[in-house]
Amino acid sequence: MNKLVAGLLFAMALPIRLNRIQEPSQVVFDEVHFGGFANHYIQRKFFFDVHPPLAKLLIAATGSLAGYDGQFDFSQIGNNYLQHDIPYTAMRAACAILGAFTVPMAFLTIRDGGHSLPAALMAAVAVCYENSMVTNNRLIMLDSYLLFFTALTILCWNRFYSANRNRPFQASWWLWLTLTGAGLGMTVSCKWVGLFLIATIGSSTVKDLWHLWGNLSVSKSHFIRHFMARAMCLIVLPVLIYVFTFYIHFIVLRYSGEGDVHMSAAFQHSLVGNRVPDSPIDIAYGSRVTLRHLASKGGYLHSHPSNYPEGSKQQQITLYPYRDENNWWIIRQMNSTLDLQNEGDMLGSDNNTWVKWVRHGDIIRLDHASTAPRRLHSHDIAAPVSDVEYQKEVSAYGFPDYEGDANDYWRVEIESGAPTKEAGERLQTLRSQFRLVHLMQNCALFSSDVKLPEWGFGQQQVTCMQNSKKPKALWMIEETYNSFLPQDTKYVNYLVPNFWEKFVELHKVMWTANSKLTEPHPYQSRPSSWPVLQSGISFWASDHKHVYFLGNPLIYWGSLVGVFTFLILSLFFQIRHKRGLPDRYPGKREFFENAAGFYAAGWAFHYLPFFLMGRQLFLHHYLPALYFATLVLAVGFDLALTRLPEGGRLLVTLGVCVAIIATFHSFAPITYGTDWTKEACEAAHWLPTWDFGCERYGN
């Protein structure tokens, strides 16, 4: 019976999600990002994102199977799909189908938990006709995958915990425990908020093990078997799945792409198309070199034939993330272009010219190879963007027949801790880390994340900073060339990182980037506003249509009331129990408290941590918590109907479902982006903070 009803619910949910899936025929909201990521996967070009790869891989796989070649420009909201042969409907439909599956899963979750058919139907209808879920399910976004795996995991855990609790280690027991672990792994592999689901299942697991530990009929060996089974299925298996998705991620993204700039030089070297050629290890005066800034994920010291618009108005010095002819410099001695007469460290390959190493403490000049005789230069002029006294402008300055001046002089200070003694005493390619300290201003060549404006082509600013912190003033020579070096000179290159090294590095960068998502956004909101549905998000708009991410108010507000009612009643019943007062629901109260308590814990784990985050947050971050709150509402609804006759329960359920569906249709025009009248729009404008703009619609 339950399977039949679940099938019917899926059949009901599918057209709700697929309705007008081709509309709008333009890029909508975060399709900008996730459609673009699909491009990179299909083209196999490395990119960077703050989310784990599973959902993005599935989006790309859907597009690829539908014949998409990864060439469409997703970069702007409103870009027209119809101008290109893009299977965007197939990519959206995959998300919609997964969203439709959450409806029968909500039904089965409540039924498998031992609750009534009316409660399960109410939960399914609430998920089916929840406007914000429908809006998200119809677009090329990660949340459909996240919600699908979240709902699947809770369903599997419910079946394991409820139906198989008293049949440990049997086939079905192992099946549902293993599927729960697989669901955890796939959820967290879509978004890191899957960690909240792990916390939810983990807290329930700890509680279950605690009861087993206190059960004197359970032997120690039996308890250890229970513990190990859960550890393997709920910890080891999710970790393996999570790691495996990154293994696939790295295999697919073999080629250099726009994400290279976020990664270390060694990581970039592992990508096809960005591999650095072998270079001589020895650095001598007269060598052509490229200098890589260590704290900026590999930006190169760079100059180009454009001047600063203010300050000295001399040639710009920047940090540029890609290999380029303008990254090459020639190391000169302080007072001559090249000393050909005095004895150096070895005789050059021509058996005539002496080669002299560049040592710690040497005073050097750096000639820019492509715009010589311009040299690396600094002076007592404020930096162009960081307009502070302690950061000096760095420029490229010089002209023919001009030998330069003392502002071209830089002292080489090799950092201690080099891998070899030689690399600590003299410059060596990829081995020595060093600072360049300006002789006159006593400042170090420095860079940070500050970008130059349009006149600087958005490249990273380079300054000379007094009292600079070492990490942002350290440099390394990546490539070098010197024709005077002997034939038997040792050549070096980056060590290609293995999978685990790349895995760890990528996660460090993801964590850092996540914490830096603090730029204001017109539609960002704080968690306190989500449950009360204070505002929505404009996803897409045209002259007379609007896709506006806004939830079904009855479900948002009703589920919030359900959660707080549960918390208040739980406290009330505990007080009554402590005072020895009779139980008004004998045999049922504890059952309902445990069921609603688990879902309420899921709501709390998926909602409260957002209060600790300082990054950009949006209403759609509340969707997993909303799913749990809806399950709490269904359990409370079941308890409230306990004393009604069967006919009364069905009648109340029908009334609630009709109200939910009617409210859904009231807001359907902004869910689907269809035509609407100004009068109907204003009637649906329940809160003044909902800014979906009725002025765009006609009468």
mmCIF file of all heavy atoms in Angstrom, residues 323-340:
data_model
loop_
_atom_site.group_PDB
_atom_site.id
_atom_site.type_symbol
_atom_site.label_atom_id
_atom_site.label_comp_id
_atom_site.label_asym_id
_atom_site.label_seq_id
_atom_site.Cartn_x
_atom_site.Cartn_y
_atom_site.Cartn_z
ATOM 1 N N ARG A 323 51.870 32.284 -17.263
ATOM 2 C CA ARG A 323 53.174 32.363 -17.901
ATOM 3 C C ARG A 323 53.071 33.283 -19.124
ATOM 4 O O ARG A 323 52.144 33.163 -19.918
ATOM 5 C CB ARG A 323 53.658 30.970 -18.291
ATOM 6 C CG ARG A 323 53.908 30.076 -17.092
ATOM 7 C CD ARG A 323 54.286 28.664 -17.514
ATOM 8 N NE ARG A 323 55.551 28.645 -18.206
ATOM 9 C CZ ARG A 323 55.862 27.800 -19.178
ATOM 10 N NH1 ARG A 323 54.965 26.913 -19.596
ATOM 11 N NH2 ARG A 323 57.053 27.837 -19.751
ATOM 12 N N ASP A 324 54.055 34.187 -19.259
ATOM 13 C CA ASP A 324 53.956 35.227 -20.280
ATOM 14 C C ASP A 324 55.361 35.778 -20.549
ATOM 15 O O ASP A 324 56.227 35.765 -19.659
ATOM 16 C CB ASP A 324 53.026 36.340 -19.771
ATOM 17 C CG ASP A 324 52.730 37.396 -20.808
ATOM 18 O OD1 ASP A 324 51.777 37.224 -21.572
ATOM 19 O OD2 ASP A 324 53.482 38.401 -20.840
ATOM 20 N N GLU A 325 55.590 36.265 -21.748
ATOM 21 C CA GLU A 325 56.902 36.826 -22.092
ATOM 22 C C GLU A 325 57.255 38.020 -21.208
ATOM 23 O O GLU A 325 58.437 38.303 -20.969
ATOM 24 C CB GLU A 325 56.918 37.246 -23.564
ATOM 25 C CG GLU A 325 57.087 36.090 -24.528
ATOM 26 C CD GLU A 325 58.401 35.340 -24.314
ATOM 27 O OE1 GLU A 325 59.459 35.992 -24.175
ATOM 28 O OE2 GLU A 325 58.362 34.094 -24.247
ATOM 29 N N ASN A 326 56.250 38.723 -20.736
ATOM 30 C CA ASN A 326 56.504 39.906 -19.909
ATOM 31 C C ASN A 326 56.858 39.563 -18.467
ATOM 32 O O ASN A 326 57.001 40.459 -17.633
ATOM 33 C CB ASN A 326 55.287 40.837 -19.935
ATOM 34 C CG ASN A 326 55.166 41.581 -21.243
ATOM 35 O OD1 ASN A 326 56.176 41.975 -21.823
ATOM 36 N ND2 ASN A 326 53.952 41.764 -21.724
ATOM 37 N N ASN A 327 56.985 38.280 -18.156
ATOM 38 C CA ASN A 327 57.400 37.855 -16.814
ATOM 39 C C ASN A 327 58.917 37.675 -16.701
ATOM 40 O O ASN A 327 59.413 37.375 -15.614
ATOM 41 C CB ASN A 327 56.748 36.512 -16.443
ATOM 42 C CG ASN A 327 55.237 36.579 -16.416
ATOM 43 O OD1 ASN A 327 54.661 37.656 -16.317
ATOM 44 N ND2 ASN A 327 54.582 35.438 -16.502
ATOM 45 N N TRP A 328 59.661 37.838 -17.799
ATOM 46 C CA TRP A 328 61.094 37.544 -17.792
ATOM 47 C C TRP A 328 61.918 38.768 -17.398
ATOM 48 O O TRP A 328 61.674 39.877 -17.869
ATOM 49 C CB TRP A 328 61.539 37.053 -19.168
ATOM 50 C CG TRP A 328 61.070 35.648 -19.457
ATOM 51 C CD1 TRP A 328 59.951 35.270 -20.118
ATOM 52 C CD2 TRP A 328 61.737 34.445 -19.072
ATOM 53 N NE1 TRP A 328 59.848 33.903 -20.170
ATOM 54 C CE2 TRP A 328 60.951 33.354 -19.539
ATOM 55 C CE3 TRP A 328 62.926 34.156 -18.389
ATOM 56 C CZ2 TRP A 328 61.306 32.029 -19.335
ATOM 57 C CZ3 TRP A 328 63.283 32.832 -18.193
ATOM 58 C CH2 TRP A 328 62.479 31.788 -18.666
ATOM 59 N N TRP A 329 62.909 38.505 -16.525
ATOM 60 C CA TRP A 329 63.822 39.538 -16.035
ATOM 61 C C TRP A 329 65.259 39.048 -16.192
ATOM 62 O O TRP A 329 65.509 37.845 -16.212
ATOM 63 C CB TRP A 329 63.544 39.857 -14.564
ATOM 64 C CG TRP A 329 62.138 40.328 -14.319
ATOM 65 C CD1 TRP A 329 61.027 39.550 -14.174
ATOM 66 C CD2 TRP A 329 61.702 41.673 -14.203
ATOM 67 N NE1 TRP A 329 59.905 40.335 -13.985
ATOM 68 C CE2 TRP A 329 60.294 41.648 -13.986
ATOM 69 C CE3 TRP A 329 62.353 42.912 -14.256
ATOM 70 C CZ2 TRP A 329 59.552 42.799 -13.833
ATOM 71 C CZ3 TRP A 329 61.610 44.068 -14.087
ATOM 72 C CH2 TRP A 329 60.216 43.999 -13.880
ATOM 73 N N ILE A 330 66.183 39.988 -16.273
ATOM 74 C CA ILE A 330 67.604 39.641 -16.362
ATOM 75 C C ILE A 330 68.299 40.172 -15.107
ATOM 76 O O ILE A 330 68.187 41.359 -14.770
ATOM 77 C CB ILE A 330 68.254 40.246 -17.620
ATOM 78 C CG1 ILE A 330 67.510 39.766 -18.870
ATOM 79 C CG2 ILE A 330 69.731 39.854 -17.702
ATOM 80 C CD1 ILE A 330 67.972 40.461 -20.153
ATOM 81 N N ILE A 331 69.017 39.286 -14.414
ATOM 82 C CA ILE A 331 69.719 39.672 -13.185
ATOM 83 C C ILE A 331 71.058 40.301 -13.553
ATOM 84 O O ILE A 331 71.886 39.684 -14.247
ATOM 85 C CB ILE A 331 69.946 38.460 -12.264
ATOM 86 C CG1 ILE A 331 68.611 37.808 -11.895
ATOM 87 C CG2 ILE A 331 70.692 38.878 -11.006
ATOM 88 C CD1 ILE A 331 68.749 36.611 -10.977
ATOM 89 N N ARG A 332 71.264 41.535 -13.098
ATOM 90 C CA ARG A 332 72.517 42.245 -13.350
ATOM 91 C C ARG A 332 73.222 42.553 -12.035
ATOM 92 O O ARG A 332 72.579 42.694 -10.990
ATOM 93 C CB ARG A 332 72.253 43.570 -14.068
ATOM 94 C CG ARG A 332 71.462 43.458 -15.359
ATOM 95 C CD ARG A 332 72.234 42.751 -16.433
ATOM 96 N NE ARG A 332 71.581 42.882 -17.737
ATOM 97 C CZ ARG A 332 71.928 42.190 -18.813
ATOM 98 N NH1 ARG A 332 72.926 41.323 -18.749
ATOM 99 N NH2 ARG A 332 71.302 42.364 -19.952
ATOM 100 N N GLN A 333 74.552 42.677 -12.122
ATOM 101 C CA GLN A 333 75.285 43.177 -10.967
ATOM 102 C C GLN A 333 74.970 44.649 -10.745
ATOM 103 O O GLN A 333 74.499 45.341 -11.642
ATOM 104 C CB GLN A 333 76.791 42.997 -11.181
ATOM 105 C CG GLN A 333 77.239 41.544 -11.105
ATOM 106 C CD GLN A 333 78.732 41.409 -11.303
ATOM 107 O OE1 GLN A 333 79.257 41.818 -12.333
ATOM 108 N NE2 GLN A 333 79.413 40.854 -10.314
ATOM 109 N N MET A 334 75.286 45.123 -9.566
ATOM 110 C CA MET A 334 74.878 46.475 -9.189
ATOM 111 C C MET A 334 75.451 47.536 -10.128
ATOM 112 O O MET A 334 74.742 48.447 -10.538
ATOM 113 C CB MET A 334 75.317 46.764 -7.754
ATOM 114 C CG MET A 334 74.901 48.137 -7.256
ATOM 115 S SD MET A 334 75.232 48.385 -5.510
ATOM 116 C CE MET A 334 77.006 48.454 -5.477
ATOM 117 N N ASN A 335 76.711 47.416 -10.515
ATOM 118 C CA ASN A 335 77.351 48.521 -11.227
ATOM 119 C C ASN A 335 77.776 48.203 -12.648
ATOM 120 O O ASN A 335 78.501 48.958 -13.258
ATOM 121 C CB ASN A 335 78.584 49.004 -10.444
ATOM 122 C CG ASN A 335 78.165 49.750 -9.200
ATOM 123 O OD1 ASN A 335 77.214 50.511 -9.239
ATOM 124 N ND2 ASN A 335 78.857 49.501 -8.101
ATOM 125 N N SER A 336 77.345 47.045 -13.211
ATOM 126 C CA SER A 336 77.691 46.763 -14.599
ATOM 127 C C SER A 336 76.676 45.808 -15.194
ATOM 128 O O SER A 336 76.018 45.068 -14.480
ATOM 129 C CB SER A 336 79.095 46.156 -14.696
ATOM 130 O OG SER A 336 79.117 44.874 -14.101
ATOM 131 N N THR A 337 76.555 45.843 -16.489
ATOM 132 C CA THR A 337 75.616 44.934 -17.141
ATOM 133 C C THR A 337 76.094 43.498 -17.072
ATOM 134 O O THR A 337 75.318 42.583 -16.903
ATOM 135 C CB THR A 337 75.418 45.341 -18.604
ATOM 136 O OG1 THR A 337 76.696 45.377 -19.246
ATOM 137 C CG2 THR A 337 74.764 46.700 -18.703
ATOM 138 N N LEU A 338 77.397 43.272 -17.221
ATOM 139 C CA LEU A 338 77.953 41.924 -17.082
ATOM 140 C C LEU A 338 79.468 42.045 -16.980
ATOM 141 O O LEU A 338 80.111 42.684 -17.811
ATOM 142 C CB LEU A 338 77.602 41.039 -18.282
ATOM 143 C CG LEU A 338 77.975 39.556 -18.143
ATOM 144 C CD1 LEU A 338 77.236 38.912 -16.972
ATOM 145 C CD2 LEU A 338 77.680 38.799 -19.427
ATOM 146 N N ASP A 339 80.032 41.460 -15.951
ATOM 147 C CA ASP A 339 81.472 41.512 -15.745
ATOM 148 C C ASP A 339 82.113 40.353 -16.504
ATOM 149 O O ASP A 339 81.999 39.199 -16.105
ATOM 150 C CB ASP A 339 81.774 41.405 -14.248
ATOM 151 C CG ASP A 339 83.228 41.730 -13.941
ATOM 152 O OD1 ASP A 339 84.063 41.634 -14.863
ATOM 153 O OD2 ASP A 339 83.519 42.069 -12.778
ATOM 154 N N LEU A 340 82.765 40.660 -17.618
ATOM 155 C CA LEU A 340 83.340 39.609 -18.459
ATOM 156 C C LEU A 340 84.814 39.344 -18.144
ATOM 157 O O LEU A 340 85.389 38.380 -18.658
ATOM 158 C CB LEU A 340 83.217 39.994 -19.942
ATOM 159 C CG LEU A 340 81.804 40.215 -20.467
ATOM 160 C CD1 LEU A 340 81.863 40.672 -21.920
ATOM 161 C CD2 LEU A 340 80.992 38.930 -20.354
#
